[in-house]
Amino acid sequence: MEPVGPYTLLCLERGGLESGRPGQFFMLEAPGRLLPRPMSLCLAPPGELAFLVEPIGPGTRALCALTPGDAIHVLGPLGNGFDLDVERPLLVAGGIGIAPMPYLREALGGAPAILGFRSELHAEAACLLPDAEVVVEPELVTDLLGEDPGDVLACGPEPMLEAVRRAVPGAQLAWEAPMACGYGACFGCVVELEGRYARLCVEGPVLR
Amino acid sequence: MSVPILNASGCLDALVAPDVARTLDAFVTKTVTLLPREGNPPPRIAEVEHGMLNSIGLQNPGIDAFVSEALPALAELGVPLWVSVGGFSAREYAHVCERLDECEDVTTIELNLSCPNVEEAAETAAEITRAARAATSKPLYAKLSPATWDLAALARAVAEAGADGLSLVNTIRGLALDPATGRPVLARGAGGYSGPALLPIAAACIHACAHAVDLPIVGMGGVASGADAAMLVAAGASAIAIGTALFADPLAAERIRAELASAVGTPPAADRDSRSLSQASSA
């Protein structure tokens, strides 16, 4: 457990789980809650899986309140991650959307990054991605995209992802949605995709 | 104690998670309707205290695509297949049942007479059951709502209309409001409430129906452990379905089966001669 600005970096022993592809997610048991919570992998140090958690509700608060030695059920990796076959990667993240970026940058062998946060406190999480360009609201990540940003891989709140998609059609975007199961069972996490409702846990969470 | 364990309809996609489906004694499909349905807009789910709400809205590909695309793949799982059928009139239910009657791989049809997330069918449960009965010779299970004033009377009516069994219970309607805005959390407003809070409600419904009709009952509603399953068996269920518990634990069926097998002693089956409790509760 490690505080990172207002977030908590939750480090779990990996056990028999694979770390998966960056952008994939795991369902983490939230102690005392009925349903697990979906979290994308932040870092995969040897023997560990690390998740960045923002305590915004009862489930994420329960996860942030875990203490060393506690055990939770973990299911994953799940869903479709980022396509790593890109020529000029640029990582773009907003707020807790920074979560999958450290693992993604490692898998890409390095990449420039633009990070946006809503306050200086939240921006302390930029330490997870040294050398990134950092903006704090009212400045926006899209202000820094420029004319030819390259192959954008982004994660963040919906309005940010919509703005990135408008600026860079074809960007790889990691979305989030409330999920009950994470493995296609509940049909709860749908997003509108080409005029139909697609389960984000099955067809995403990374979509183009 | 050995009791068949199924999934509750709409709580597992066997084609996405075949290994989970193979832990079941029978797989129950998500409800299939005559025409394709996109379902309700998101947000569709919300965790609440002691349970969760869902408002999926019967998203499904419709009977034509189900029979031509999903069914052949489901048949390859090697798990007995129950198909849940929904509709908006007795005729629609009958059409869908007629199509399924021709499908060898379908072992049982469950009539979803109680989805809380779509407008009520115009006809009564008994009329729908009668129409479905005329359309198929396959075993027909009627899935009823716990929000029924006299469930025993409804059970008698669907039994008389030709149901071969009962599935008890569906979710019960609930509403979650965002404390900050006072607005519903789910896009459609209310949703179906499921999870642990449903267990004693399911037990009461099963107990009442087991005394009212001589039909096998698939018990469901908040089952998350062997002890929960044993309680519904004691109330009168002969099989158990798992719903919400599968979301948090894909291996819930295996775990519950093991917990049931290792339970000390066997709880008594519902005593059908002792009617005092059901009479007292409906007085």
Side-chain angles (χ1 to χ4, degrees):
Chain A
M1 306 297 296
E2 191 185 321
V4 182
Y7 311 110
T8 294
L9 190 63
L10 176 63
C11 300
L12 304 175
E13 279 178 31
R14 191 182 294 194
L17 296 178
E18 300 290 328
S19 56
R21 178 186 284 266
Q24 285 189 292
F25 66 97
F26 293 76
M27 295 302 284
L28 272 54
E29 176 192 1
R33 305 305 304 177
L34 179 66
L35 301 174
R37 299 299 194 266
M39 298 286 157
S40 58
L41 188 64
C42 182
L43 285 163
E48 290 185 2
L49 299 172
F51 301 90
L52 191 68
V53 183
E54 182 173 22
I56 50 164
T60 45
R61 280 197 293 271
L63 284 168
C64 292
L66 287 170
T67 56
D70 288 345
I72 58 170
H73 289 284
V74 178
L75 178 69
L78 298 162
N80 295 307
F82 289 103
D83 176 4
L84 304 180
D85 187 17
V86 289
E87 286 178 5
R88 289 190 300 132
L90 172 65
L91 314 187
V92 179
I96 189 63
I98 191 179
M101 295 301 168
Y103 182 45
L104 174 60
R105 179 149 86 171
E106 192 182 293
L108 289 167
I114 302 173
L115 307 175
F117 294 96
R118 62 180 179 274
S119 78
E120 293 291 346
L121 177 65
H122 290 85
E124 285 178 28
C127 68
L128 291 167
L129 226 54
D131 309 323
E133 285 188 85
V134 180
V135 298
V136 174
E137 282 182 24
E139 201 177 359
L140 301 173
V141 290
T142 40
D143 298 336
L144 299 186
L145 282 178
E147 281 293 301
D148 181 19
D151 300 305
V152 169
L153 305 97
C155 184
E158 271 186 33
M160 186 204 98
L161 292 179
E162 298 286 3
V164 169
R165 179 155 61 186
R166 279 193 299 274
V168 190
Q172 296 185 51
L173 307 175
W175 301 84
E176 69 172 354
M179 291 180 184
C181 69
Y183 68 98
C186 74
F187 282 75
C189 65
V190 295
V191 294
E192 207 174 332
L193 188 67
E194 291 156 6
R196 67 195 170 88
Y197 285 133
R199 285 170 288 181
L200 197 63
C201 69
V202 174
E203 299 195 35
V206 178
L207 302 170
R208 276 186 194 269
Chain B
M1 182 171 33
S2 175
V3 180
I5 298 182
L6 297 70
N7 64 296
S9 172
C11 297
L12 183 65
D13 183 339
L15 298 181
V16 173
D19 291 344
V20 178
R22 290 192 190 98
T23 67
L24 302 164
D25 295 298
F27 169 70
V28 186
T29 67
K30 194 162 166 53
T31 294
V32 181
T33 52
L34 184 60
L35 300 174
R37 287 176 57 85
E38 269 303 317
N40 293 337
R44 290 176 167 188
I45 55 163
E47 190 190 68
V48 293
E49 293 311 306
H50 316 298
M52 65 174 285
L53 298 176
N54 85 78
S55 178
I56 310 301
L58 300 184
Q59 179 173 345
N60 82 94
I63 187 64
D64 287 345
F66 175 80
V67 168
S68 63
E69 289 162 33
L71 194 53
L74 289 170
E76 282 178 21
L77 289 170
V79 179
L81 189 60
W82 290 36
V83 177
S84 169
V85 170
F88 300 90
S89 67
R91 267 188 66 177
E92 279 191 26
Y93 279 88
H95 276 312
V96 175
C97 288
E98 215 168 72
R99 293 292 308 279
L100 293 172
D101 192 59
E102 302 160 2
C103 304
E104 224 180 283
D105 298 314
V106 177
T107 59
T108 299
I109 294 173
E110 182 179 83
L111 299 174
N112 180 356
L113 301 171
S114 47
C115 180
N117 294 322
V118 296
E119 297 305 315
E120 288 291 316
E123 284 89 350
T124 67
E127 284 175 277
I128 292 167
T129 305
R130 198 169 291 115
R133 179 74 291 160
T136 179
S137 57
K138 290 188 188 289
L140 271 183
Y141 274 63
K143 186 167 183 179
L144 305 178
S145 166
T148 303
W149 177 244
D150 190 347
L151 194 59
L154 183 58
R156 280 189 288 266
V158 296
E160 197 161 298
D164 300 299
L166 301 175
S167 295
L168 301 171
V169 292
N170 209 323
T171 58
I172 192 164
R173 193 171 294 171
L175 174 66
L177 299 170
D178 183 331
T181 63
R183 295 222 174 100
V185 175
L186 301 182
R188 278 288 298 251
Y193 186 33
S194 67
L198 220 45
L199 184 70
I201 297 172
C205 292
I206 291 163
H207 189 268
C209 291
H211 285 76
V213 296
D214 191 17
L215 293 180
I217 295 173
V218 182
M220 68 195 84
V223 174
S225 69
D228 296 342
M231 182 171 30
L232 297 193
V233 170
S238 51
I240 293 295
I242 308 172
T244 303
L246 274 173
F247 296 157
D249 179 8
L251 298 178
E254 288 190 330
R255 178 174 52 77
I256 291 169
R257 188 178 290 117
E259 288 169 1
L260 272 173
S262 66
V264 179
T266 304
D271 178 356
R272 292 183 184 224
D273 294 327
S274 165
R275 307 206 165 196
S276 57
L277 183 58
S278 61
Q279 282 173 355
S281 63
S282 62

